[in-house]
Amino acid sequence: MSKTEGLSRRGFLAGASALPLAGTAFAQAPFPTRPISLIVPFAAGGSTDIVARLVGQKMGELLGQSIVIDNRAGAGGNIGSTAVARATPDGYTLLLGTISTHALNPAILKTVTFDAVKDFTPISLLAVVPNVMVVHPSFPAKTVPEVLKLLKDNPGKYSYASSGVGTPLHLSGELFKSLGGVSMNHVPYRGAGPALNDVVSGAVPIMFDNLPSSAQFIRSGQLRAIGVTTKERVSSFPDLPTIAEGGLAGYETYTWNALFGPANMPRPVVDKINTAANDSLKDANVKQRLEDVSAVIVGSTPEALGEHVKAELAKWAPIAKASGAVVE
């Protein structure tokens, strides 16, 4: 080998050694370097959208990049969830998932377009939102025992409204019927808003609703609250008993909001998003505003959210099956 050839070979090797391996370069690449899309699989204005915008804004500040809220409503959250399941797993497309997208839809959708466990990377369980049983002020019963007695004495006479077949609000009513051994007619609507309007007007006497939606009507006296659906009482209505303590042992329903990404996201990216999400929940302004809408702040590890989804699937599948709810 000539002297010139040796120098050329040594120069090439030196240059090559200075270049990082492709995998190392990817692992060490800064994140994020551009805006992140947070898909909310429901219309703007609902409790899921509220949580997404509150937490997303603060996360964007902490990450140094904007988090753009993308409302993709339809099919009970299935359209937006499917979009995230099929997205590139680089951390730039996230989902604000709920009990509907990751526990109820797999049990009630006739055609399932994603696997709630295998097709997503869990990041953090953000908050739990309680539901509440409300009635029109003219409704004769004022407590859980009185409601149960009235329904048992008048089977099939009374109806309850919900935001649609197979929604958490529908299944809250079905669980009440099942545990209480009572009969009510289900009146499904295209969303919680129209259903709530008809209960406020007296067209339908009963509804199970997200507490944030009903709170103003309860405070103004336009609706009477019978009980919250969570295991514990809520800070925004401390004098309102839970349905379980009101006489229906074992009753518990709720809505939750959690952050997911597509499956197989790099762990360093997951950890960075998780830290930003959980730190956002500790911000004084975010905490106060979430508490104002009766959301119970959680914040979790990715592993804890993964186990939560599995437990929710196991809990709700038999309830959904018993309700007979099937969505095309």
Side-chain angles (χ1 to χ4, degrees):
M1 180 172 63
S2 69
K3 183 177 181 181
T4 302
E5 290 173 334
L7 288 172
S8 298
R9 184 170 180 273
R10 284 196 298 272
F12 171 78
L13 291 174
S17 65
L19 295 173
L21 295 174
T24 304
F26 179 79
Q28 294 178 347
F31 173 87
T33 58
R34 54 187 170 87
I36 296 169
S37 174
L38 176 54
I39 292 180
V40 177
F42 302 101
S47 60
T48 301
D49 185 65
I50 291 171
V51 172
R53 292 179 188 278
L54 282 175
V55 177
Q57 181 178 351
K58 189 62 184 180
M59 283 180 63
E61 294 174 10
L62 295 174
L63 290 170
Q65 289 288 341
S66 299
I67 295 196
V68 181
I69 305 301
D70 182 357
N71 294 93
R72 297 198 196 180
N78 200 47
I79 291 175
S81 301
T82 301
V84 175
R86 295 175 180 174
T88 303
D90 54 9
Y92 288 100
T93 304
L94 305 176
L95 174 72
L96 208 293
T98 69
I99 189 173
S100 290
T101 62
H102 279 69
L104 301 184
N105 284 356
I108 64 174
L109 288 176
K110 192 170 184 179
T111 302
V112 181
T113 53
F114 59 82
D115 187 299
V117 175
K118 295 178 181 179
D119 291 340
F120 295 91
T121 297
I123 299 174
S124 177
L125 177 61
L126 302 177
V128 174
V129 179
N131 298 329
V132 61
M133 184 182 188
V134 291
V135 299
H136 188 266
S138 64
F139 190 68
K142 297 182 179 180
T143 65
V144 172
E146 289 178 2
V147 171
L148 292 172
K149 185 177 187 308
L150 183 68
L151 296 178
K152 286 178 180 177
D153 292 345
N154 300 274
K157 178 180 179 180
Y158 293 99
S159 300
Y160 77 97
S162 87
S163 52
V165 174
T167 62
L169 306 183
H170 171 208
L171 295 185
S172 292
E174 292 303 306
L175 184 61
F176 188 90
K177 288 167 56 178
S178 175
L179 292 179
V182 296
S183 172
M184 289 187 290
N185 301 311
H186 175 223
V187 183
Y189 287 77
R190 288 183 175 273
L196 191 60
N197 288 338
D198 270 10
V199 179
V200 171
S201 71
V204 182
I206 305 167
M207 182 176 178
F208 294 82
D209 188 29
N210 295 140
L211 182 54
S213 303
S214 288
Q216 61 177 324
F217 297 106
I218 296 170
R219 292 190 174 104
S220 68
Q222 292 174 275
L223 290 175
R224 180 192 304 134
I226 300 296
V228 290
T229 66
T230 42
K231 188 178 294 185
E232 306 289 340
R233 294 191 183 196
V234 298
S235 59
S236 55
F237 288 89
D239 296 330
L240 184 61
T242 68
I243 289 178
E245 71 177 296
L248 200 57
Y251 187 93
E252 181 188 11
T253 72
Y254 39 74
T255 299
W256 47 261
N257 298 127
L259 203 57
F260 297 89
N264 303 315
M265 282 175 57
R267 184 65 195 220
V269 173
V270 173
D271 289 341
K272 192 162 188 178
I273 297 172
N274 173 272
T275 298
N278 290 345
D279 285 349
S280 295
L281 296 173
K282 298 172 185 175
D283 177 77
N285 180 57
V286 173
K287 284 179 65 176
Q288 185 59 57
R289 294 189 64 185
L290 287 175
E291 289 170 0
D292 287 344
V293 297
S294 304
V296 179
I297 296 170
V298 183
S300 77
T301 64
E303 289 77 16
L305 174 56
E307 292 304 313
H308 175 77
V309 169
K310 292 176 184 177
E312 289 288 89
L313 284 165
K315 173 181 177 176
W316 286 103
I319 297 172
K321 185 176 181 180
S323 75
V326 178
V327 179
E328 296 292 337

